[in-house]
Amino acid sequence: MPDWFYRTVSRPILFRFSAPRARDFALGFMGGLSRLPFGPYLIDFLGHMRADPRLRQSFVETDFPSAVGIGPWLDNHAVATKALARFGVGFIEVGPVTLERHVATRPMKRLDDREAFWIDDSPDSISLDDCNRRLGDVSSLAAPVIVRLRCDAEKSDAEIEQESRHLLRELTPGVRLVSLDVLETALARGWSIEQWATYVRDVVTEARDIRLLLVVSADQDFERAALLIDVAFNEGAAGLIVDGSMRAELDGRIAGLPVRELTLDQVRRLRARYSDDVFVVASGGVHEPEHALELLSAGADLIAVDTGLVYTGPGLVKRTNDCLLFEATRDTPSGVPERVPELSWFWTTLMGAGMLIGGFLALIIAATRIVLPYDESYLGVALGGFPAINPHLLDFMAHDRITLAGTMVAIGLLYVSLSLYGIRHGVHWARQAVLISAFTGFASFFLFLGFGYLDPFHAFVTAVLFQFLLLGVHARLGTYTPVVRPDVRSTRAWRMSLWGQLLLVIHGFALLSAGIVISVIGVTHVFVHEDLHFMQTTADALSSANPRLVPLVAHDRATLGGMLLASGWLFLLPALWGYRKGSSWLWWTTLVAGVFAYTAGIGVHFAVGYLSGKHLLPAFGGLVLMLVGLALSYPFLCGRK
């Protein structure tokens, strides 16, 4: 559920349901998707959210891909852990885990006016057996998992210690971090220092290779808890988790935006007491990248988000990572100048320039003599003989070839722009978009096997440009350094751009669908009903007039389908992966390339009189989708840097 879909479509629907039903549906869907054979790759494809390697950090003998993780109030039953691990997170906390599953007497509620959850004093928990089963492959996840353990507060002191040790002893072997939610119980029962020290010492001994983190609530009286925290560290506790919840006015607990200031104060108190010697994870009301940055500045080593993913969107982690990367690289000095031929952008730019030149040549030819000498040779018919076969034949072929040429020009423009403004600056997604598009386009060349006509000029251009592609694959990408500071809070321009992004994603998928359909038509029955109605003939009549005519037209159709597929990736993938504040180059490139292609494709229909409304509707629909999407995206992509 990327933000462009969550904020515009799914959140308004999910918020009509109760919090437990909405959560169970959303997490159940993501969890089910992640268990499908290609589900994890689909999650990566839609979000492209993996954290930059430069954000990796190491604490308590554990590597964290990012400083931003997910807290326990989101996926407490570990239903979608495999999916959430691909959100670019540094860690995932699940739980609370108890010996037997506990169902809260009163279900969780959303407090939408406060952007918060209300949670029962004794919240839902997942049983140890269910936790072990769902985290069986925890070592294969892209991020470490922190398991929160909780004991029934109504049990005796001895039973709490026994249960804690049992949970640690039986926990699945892949888990290396555990958070103990027992401090509040110890304070409420008035445990002595000796009793507390014995408890911590025993569970640390039982934990063996597991590092134990102590849970401290955001509203915990620090003066009362400080002495017990000191003892816990002396007995081997590895760090603290500031839990982002506070006691509600009447009963239960509140998690979400109202807890943010309390969490900040608690983190500052911890840092003032322990300096930099203590590992601290903090959560509570992180609903904007700005909130995460504030917690890190206050002294947290890592921060966790949970309610923020519900109220702001699943892209919150990615947006925060972008802010962290900007801060981490803003003072990075320029590297040693590199040899241009060793970099991918040089070769992909040449490939784009070649496609651009080829597209303009094809456009000039299609607008003048339409067919080339080798087309005439293949048919055995001179240019003047085409009207004898069918008076509308040349107009029909011009309509296909000008549309194809306009698409080629658009592809060339996009290749050059993505290369110069994206790949040259080390932007990984831009390189991926160009390579996916190019390999799709070159693969479509082999569609000629379905219709039997090998265009020699097409084959020559393909062979030349394919060499540039291979050199681009072999060459290096370079290092990405962001130059525009990402927004640290949700702005009106960003929220509006999500609607634009949604429309542009739909537009990209529509182009891919059109490419598939036209490619299939090109290698099967070649003509659609509207084509034959325009020429006032039948496929059999054309084939009877010249047996090689249909393969020639099929070549144009299949090539157009292949180029639509290649262009579809170039319009789709930047919309999915490349939306960044201030990317005006992307906005203008999409506008110029798209308008040129649609103008050529639609304009030629009016020029030749092929005015079937059913035939033109997809083209006009695509143009409107693109223009409206770009209009909604303009303030965000082209706004003040």
Side-chain angles (χ1 to χ4, degrees):
M1 295 184 183
D3 284 345
W4 52 264
F5 186 79
Y6 178 78
R7 299 267 313 194
T8 57
V9 179
S10 61
R11 193 180 83 161
I13 296 173
L14 290 172
F15 272 35
R16 293 178 177 272
F17 299 97
S18 66
R21 287 187 63 188
R23 177 196 62 190
D24 292 345
F25 174 80
L27 294 177
F29 177 81
M30 288 194 295
L33 178 62
S34 68
R35 289 187 290 273
L36 294 175
F38 296 100
Y41 301 104
L42 178 59
I43 295 172
D44 287 341
F45 171 77
L46 289 175
H48 206 68
M49 293 185 288
R50 295 297 182 95
D52 190 282
R54 287 169 288 181
L55 296 179
R56 184 173 295 274
Q57 301 186 52
S58 182
F59 300 102
V60 293
E61 301 173 3
T62 304
D63 288 334
F64 299 91
S66 165
V68 189
I70 293 181
W73 300 120
L74 186 70
D75 187 19
N76 57 335
H77 289 163
V79 173
T81 307
K82 191 174 181 180
L84 294 172
R86 308 184 87 89
F87 276 38
V89 300
F91 63 92
I92 300 173
E93 188 176 5
V94 300
V97 177
T98 52
L99 201 55
E100 301 294 335
R101 182 187 175 188
H102 174 75
V103 178
T105 305
R106 293 165 296 179
M108 177 181 68
K109 299 176 184 177
R110 281 193 319 271
L111 308 176
D112 294 340
D113 57 329
R114 303 174 66 185
E115 293 193 14
F117 294 166
W118 179 91
I119 302 164
D120 193 55
D121 284 313
S122 183
D124 288 343
S125 70
I126 179 176
S127 71
L128 177 64
D129 289 341
D130 286 342
C131 177
N132 286 344
R133 185 177 69 255
R134 291 172 184 173
L135 297 181
D137 59 348
V138 65
S139 59
S140 66
L141 297 178
V145 171
I146 303 174
V147 176
R148 176 170 295 195
L149 301 184
R150 183 186 179 95
C151 298
D152 189 346
E154 296 182 358
K155 293 185 176 181
S156 67
D157 296 349
E159 288 174 327
I160 288 177
E161 179 178 345
Q162 183 180 7
E163 185 172 329
S164 298
R165 295 177 64 181
H166 179 80
L167 289 169
L168 286 165
R169 184 170 57 250
E170 300 300 327
L171 197 60
T172 185
V175 175
R176 289 290 175 264
L177 294 169
V178 163
S179 58
L180 283 174
D181 190 2
V182 72
L183 178 63
E184 188 173 348
T185 300
L187 289 168
R189 294 190 176 194
W191 284 10
S192 67
I193 296 298
E194 292 75 14
Q195 185 180 6
W196 172 251
T198 300
Y199 169 81
V200 175
R201 188 184 311 121
D202 288 345
V203 295
V204 168
T205 302
E206 192 68 62
R208 298 182 302 277
D209 296 332
I210 297 175
R211 306 310 301 271
L212 296 182
L213 310 175
L214 194 64
V215 176
V216 182
S217 61
D219 62 343
Q220 178 66 59
D221 186 337
F222 184 75
E223 297 303 323
R224 290 187 62 208
L227 186 56
L228 295 189
I229 295 172
D230 291 344
V231 172
F233 287 139
N234 291 334
E235 297 297 338
L240 293 170
I241 289 186
V242 180
D243 176 67
S245 68
M246 67 180 186
R247 184 152 299 282
E249 295 175 0
L250 298 177
D251 59 0
R253 299 193 69 81
I254 299 292
L257 197 58
V259 192
R260 189 170 70 85
E261 291 299 331
L262 287 174
T263 302
L264 277 168
D265 291 341
Q266 195 74 286
V267 171
R268 292 189 184 108
R269 283 192 289 265
L270 288 169
R271 275 293 168 237
R273 184 178 182 91
Y274 299 109
S275 186
D276 295 329
D277 299 330
V278 173
F279 172 56
V280 176
V281 181
S283 68
V286 179
H287 288 202
E288 298 286 356
E290 180 181 42
H291 301 159
L293 297 176
E294 288 174 349
L295 273 176
L296 293 171
S297 297
D301 295 301
L302 304 176
I303 57 100
V305 299
D306 36 47
T307 55
L309 296 183
V310 174
Y311 286 102
T312 304
L316 177 59
V317 174
K318 180 179 180 179
R319 293 169 59 208
T320 305
N321 282 337
D322 286 344
C323 292
L324 292 176
L325 182 62
F326 178 82
E327 296 298 331
T329 59
R330 62 187 305 176
D331 297 323
T332 302
S334 301
V336 178
E338 299 178 284
R339 295 183 68 247
V340 170
E342 295 178 356
L343 300 175
S344 286
W345 72 268
F346 176 74
W347 300 108
T348 54
T349 301
L350 289 181
M351 181 179 67
M355 180 67 76
L356 194 58
I357 294 170
F360 276 117
L361 287 176
L363 186 63
I364 293 170
I365 294 170
T368 52
R369 74 185 319 273
I370 302 174
V371 294
L372 290 168
Y374 56 77
D375 294 325
E376 299 171 316
S377 176
Y378 175 73
L379 288 182
V381 177
L383 180 61
F386 277 72
I389 299 175
N390 184 284
H392 301 287
L393 179 58
L394 282 176
D395 287 340
F396 175 76
M397 293 182 68
H399 124 274
D400 264 357
R401 294 192 169 191
I402 288 179
T403 303
L404 169 62
T407 306
M408 290 175 62
V409 171
I411 292 173
L413 284 170
L414 287 162
Y415 281 169
V416 171
S417 182
L418 287 168
S419 298
L420 293 178
Y421 294 100
I423 303 175
R424 186 163 66 96
H425 296 286
V427 178
H428 177 261
W429 68 260
R431 185 173 188 263
Q432 292 296 100
V434 169
L435 295 185
I436 291 172
S437 167
F439 275 112
T440 301
F442 286 118
S444 70
F445 170 77
F446 294 97
L447 290 173
F448 81 88
L449 297 173
F451 49 78
Y453 174 52
L454 177 61
D455 181 336
F457 181 69
H458 185 187
F460 171 75
V461 172
T462 299
V464 172
L465 296 183
F466 190 63
Q467 296 177 67
F468 293 144
L469 174 61
L470 294 179
L471 289 167
V473 172
H474 178 71
R476 292 182 293 106
L477 175 62
T479 302
Y480 169 61
T481 301
V483 294
V484 178
R485 178 177 182 143
D487 284 327
V488 296
R489 63 178 67 91
S490 301
T491 62
R492 181 176 180 274
W494 174 74
R495 290 190 292 269
M496 187 168 64
S497 77
L498 296 177
W499 286 98
Q501 191 176 4
L502 173 65
L503 295 180
L504 292 177
V505 168
I506 294 173
H507 171 256
F509 276 117
L511 284 178
L512 288 175
S513 301
I516 293 171
V517 169
I518 294 175
S519 296
V520 171
I521 290 174
V523 296
T524 54
H525 44 79
V526 182
F527 301 101
V528 296
H529 172 74
E530 291 77 16
D531 298 332
L532 298 173
H533 179 73
F534 170 70
M535 291 187 286
Q536 299 178 354
T537 187
T538 64
D540 290 339
L542 292 173
S543 184
S544 298
N546 191 312
R548 292 188 170 185
L549 178 60
V550 173
L552 178 62
V553 174
H555 157 265
D556 293 346
R557 279 288 157 92
T559 304
L560 174 59
M563 290 300 99
L564 282 175
L565 283 170
S567 67
W569 288 122
L570 293 173
F571 283 98
L572 172 65
L573 298 181
L576 282 175
W577 302 341
Y579 255 54
R580 297 290 188 279
K581 174 188 173 183
S583 297
S584 57
W585 65 269
L586 180 60
W587 191 91
W588 284 106
T589 301
T590 303
L591 175 68
V592 173
V595 167
F596 190 95
Y598 279 113
T599 300
I602 295 173
V604 71
H605 284 77
F606 284 89
V608 302
Y610 189 170
L611 301 178
S612 167
K614 182 179 178 181
H615 189 71
L616 285 170
L617 181 61
F620 278 110
L623 177 61
V624 170
L625 268 178
M626 186 192 73
L627 292 178
V628 175
L630 287 173
L632 292 171
S633 304
Y634 181 84
F636 180 67
L637 292 181
C638 299
R640 183 167 52 88
K641 297 183 181 180

